[in-house]
Amino acid sequence: RRAKVLAARGGGDPRQLAAVLASPPVSEDPEGERRRLLAEAYLRLDPPELSKARDELAAYLAVPSRLPAPALARVRLRLGEVHVALNEGEAARSRLTEIGPAADPDVTAGAKLLLARLAAAEDKWGEAVKLFEAAQATPGLPRDQLDTVRYLT
């Protein structure tokens, strides 16, 4: 439990946290938050273990969750980011398009930006421009994040 608390707060040594979280006690619910926290620990390693983080996030999303829709959308965005880092464009696109209207504005804009970058990398400039514009037009996006979106486009 201590490892989960440390991981949730972004503290502790990620290597030690990953080792503890990777082998949970027999009595622990296997479908809880452990997989998501383990993925975050893998991403904090230097260098990050992207494939392990991808596998844990995918397993976490594969089972029903108690998280509200906006929080699940944030996990989908994180998995999309990992897929992009691993040069898995199709998998990233699939996860990012699962992010629906219940997502927070920063998550929606982040997904659109990643999708735009994927489209640009494939020389689909018309699609990329539409996605960049959609990210800028995301309703409810805080001003500081809107400035970031504008800078990136």
Side-chain angles (χ1 to χ4, degrees):
R1 288 186 179 159
R2 182 174 185 268
K4 284 184 176 181
V5 171
L6 284 171
R9 295 178 62 204
D13 175 25
R15 193 159 311 284
Q16 288 178 345
L17 291 174
V20 171
L21 292 170
S23 54
V26 176
S27 62
E28 182 175 307
D29 176 16
E31 306 310 331
E33 291 295 300
R34 182 187 62 81
R35 287 189 179 278
R36 183 182 61 79
L37 296 171
L38 179 56
E40 290 299 328
Y42 284 142
L43 292 171
R44 288 181 41 220
L45 292 171
D46 187 21
E49 294 192 22
L50 296 172
S51 59
K52 288 183 179 181
R54 176 203 54 212
D55 295 344
E56 292 299 331
L57 288 171
Y60 177 79
L61 289 170
V63 297
S65 174
R66 295 180 209 131
L67 285 180
L72 278 175
R74 198 167 294 280
V75 175
R76 285 186 181 96
L77 175 61
R78 189 71 160 145
L79 180 53
E81 292 168 344
V82 172
H83 281 304
V84 168
L86 288 167
N87 294 317
E88 299 171 347
E90 283 304 313
R93 190 173 289 105
S94 173
R95 287 300 181 172
L96 294 169
T97 56
E98 291 174 3
I99 295 173
D104 292 330
D106 64 315
V107 173
T108 302
K112 289 177 183 174
L113 282 173
L114 283 175
L115 287 168
R117 289 180 182 164
L118 289 170
E122 295 171 353
D123 290 329
K124 297 178 182 177
W125 292 104
E127 180 183 343
V129 168
K130 288 178 186 176
L131 287 163
F132 279 128
E133 289 172 347
Q136 284 186 25
T138 302
L141 188 64
R143 177 74 184 176
D144 63 328
Q145 293 173 350
L146 178 59
D147 292 341
T148 302
V149 170
R150 286 183 178 150
Y151 173 78
L152 293 173
T153 58

